[in-house]
Amino acid sequence: MTDRPEVPEVVAAVDIGGTKTAAALVTRSGQLVARASAPTPGVAGADAILQTAADLVLRLRAGSAAPIVRALGVGSAGVVDAATGFVLGATEVLRGWAGTDLRGSLASATGLPTAVVNDVHAHAIGEARRGAAHGAATVLFVGVGTGIGGSFVLDGAPLPGAHSAAGHIGHQPSPYAGKLTCTCGGTGHLEAVAAGPTLRAEYERRSGATVSDLRAVAALAADGDPFAVDTIVLGGTAVGSAVGGLVNVLDPHVVVVGGGVANLGELWWGALRAAVRREALPSLVGVTVVPASLGADAALVGAAEIAWETMT
Ligand SMILES: [Zn+2]
């Protein structure tokens, strides 16, 4: 008789982003026990993107620890119909991604029961169930990075909307965006003023100087550059104003704010919190607003959560 060493049951999780595809094996309790990643071959088209994702899962599965992989959960950029498993829409960063049978393709490539969801919704599931809002009944998640997206999560499940498009928080009118053109083609949307690239552009417009990225603006603000201070305050204020309005609509138990721009520090957060207080109804002014706690792992943790659900 041979005793098998104790091997944990895990699921595989994949996060397909515009530039990087990350994968992990994740335990029942949300621990990432193995990781792999590769550049997303967005220009090469849907088949190459699917192949990259499947290869990462198969590589992890073949790893030396050889745990039992039970299912696969995928968070992907683009508008994803979690019910049918198809990608309904995507930007040109992922060429030909719209129309892809994401769930069916990866299920047959890996042989695993598979569940799929939009990547921002995967982030939100991760933070709502295992991260900063763990245990809260309703959570508003806002991710502020290259773009601005979010999700309203009820009892651990994101609200998908009638067209799987709920959560496009960056594409609502913002009084701080003026006539700025948005990535969606619209005018005056939140994303046009408060996302990372647009905030950097705002600094360059105001100061006449050129900076490499938003971190450089934060460093200048720390040194007292008034243009940098004003720009970061503008970004936090614009996001906070939107969050305050959404709090009035949704009355969430907790608001979680994540994404790279949320790492700008206390200047940005102070402006955000002040704007939330300004916009929120008197009875909601004490709403809990916290930073995300899982960082870049949130989407993998969320994808793992929906993978486990395929087995119940
Ligand atoms: Zn827009």
Side-chain angles (χ1 to χ4, degrees), residues 168 170-172 181-192:
H168 280 91
H171 302 291
Q172 61 177 313
T181 303
C182 186
T183 52
C184 70
T187 301
H189 289 178
L190 175 65
E191 186 167 301

Side-chain angles (χ1 to χ4, degrees), residues 6 12 22 59 64 67 104 125 173 208 221 275 294 298 306 310:
E6 196 67 28
R59 196 202 305 171
S64 57
I125 295 168
L294 299 178
I306 62 167
T310 65

Side-chain angles (χ1 to χ4, degrees), residues 210-297:
T210 304
V211 286
S212 54
D213 58 20
L214 201 52
R215 268 193 302 258
V217 179
L220 288 162
D223 286 344
D225 178 335
F227 297 112
V229 170
D230 287 353
T231 300
I232 289 174
V233 167
L234 170 70
T237 301
V239 173
S241 162
V243 167
L246 289 167
V247 164
N248 292 344
V249 175
L250 300 167
D251 186 14
H253 289 82
V254 178
V255 179
V256 179
V257 183
V261 175
N263 294 326
L264 279 177
E266 194 42 45
L267 187 61
W268 188 84
W269 274 95
L272 182 147
R273 291 183 195 281
V276 171
R277 281 194 298 275
R278 223 164 26 241
E279 299 291 351
L281 292 167
S283 60
L284 304 179
V285 82
V287 62
T288 302
V289 182
V290 295
S293 67
L294 299 178
D297 287 343

